[in-house]
Amino acid sequence: MSRIGKLPVPVPAGVDITVSGALVTVKGPKGSLEHNVPAPINVAQEDAQLVVSRPDDERNSRALHGLTRTLISNMIVGVTQGYEKKLEIVGTGYRVVAKGSGLEFALGFSHPVVVEAPEGVTFAVESPTKFSVSGIDKQRVGEVAANIRKIRKPEPYKGKGVRYAGENVRRKVGKAGK
């Protein structure tokens, strides 16, 4: 039995969950999220918690059991607290500026790079070198943060680029001098 999958998902006060067939809808103070549960997995609401179960011990069922439970749990955390990824920019002349709902980066290219905020994601600029990506959908927040980081990854020689806050960039030794 999946150790994660068999744990019931607690439903906090103020969160409304609707299970209709394979569709699980979670509504909370920050918004609403939906998830389509894959075929063999069953989701049932009991009192103030959700129970995710599987009918058999097939390989596919076992794989989806814990995954489904974690995705539903992430949706509940998203609509109550939300998710946030903090990023920082390292490099001389590298900076970020808020432009409307999007961000404009100066990352050493010949042109500024503009990133528009997708639906359900907001940006906050704390300083010219620190900003954050936040929203209620964990997957979307992580994907947007990864795409921003991909614009100029931290390079291993000087460490310049966009990185997650607290990320450890492995450094390489440059050319040996004579």
Side-chain angles (χ1 to χ4, degrees):
M1 193 71 179
S2 169
R3 281 185 273 179
I4 292 173
K6 69 182 177 183
L7 293 173
V9 182
V11 179
V15 175
D16 181 40
I17 295 187
T18 310
V19 180
S20 58
L23 188 71
V24 176
T25 307
V26 180
K27 289 187 179 121
K30 291 194 177 251
S32 173
L33 291 172
E34 289 183 345
H35 177 64
N36 213 340
V37 179
I41 306 299
N42 298 319
V43 178
Q45 190 166 7
E46 297 175 4
D47 299 329
Q49 56 189 14
L50 282 178
V51 178
V52 180
S53 60
R54 65 175 192 244
D56 51 32
D57 279 342
E58 295 287 325
R59 182 178 181 88
N60 190 37
S61 299
R62 289 196 321 257
L64 292 171
H65 189 201
L67 172 71
T68 303
R69 189 253 178 224
T70 303
L71 290 175
I72 292 172
S73 176
N74 287 346
M75 288 178 7
I76 291 172
V77 171
V79 298
T80 53
Q81 300 163 9
Y83 288 100
E84 182 179 46
K85 284 269 189 187
K86 292 186 180 289
L87 292 99
E88 53 192 27
I89 301 173
V90 176
T92 306
Y94 290 10
R95 67 186 183 283
V96 62
V97 177
K99 288 275 183 173
S101 64
L103 297 174
E104 184 178 284
F105 292 93
L107 296 172
F109 298 117
S110 62
H111 59 282
V113 179
V114 178
V115 176
E116 288 298 322
E119 185 181 337
V121 175
T122 57
F123 297 130
V125 177
E126 290 135 39
S127 74
T129 59
K130 293 184 190 302
F131 65 99
S132 63
V133 179
S134 57
I136 61 172
D137 189 352
K138 185 176 187 178
Q139 189 262 331
R140 184 172 284 160
V141 169
E143 184 180 9
V144 170
N147 287 339
I148 290 173
R149 182 181 180 273
K150 204 186 298 180
I151 295 169
R152 176 75 88 180
K153 287 185 184 170
E155 53 96 16
Y157 296 102
K158 290 185 178 178
K160 293 166 39 168
V162 180
R163 63 174 79 170
Y164 297 115
E167 179 182 358
N168 187 20
V169 177
R170 292 187 61 193
R171 302 290 293 272
K172 291 182 178 179
V173 180
K175 285 196 252 179
K178 287 194 174 185

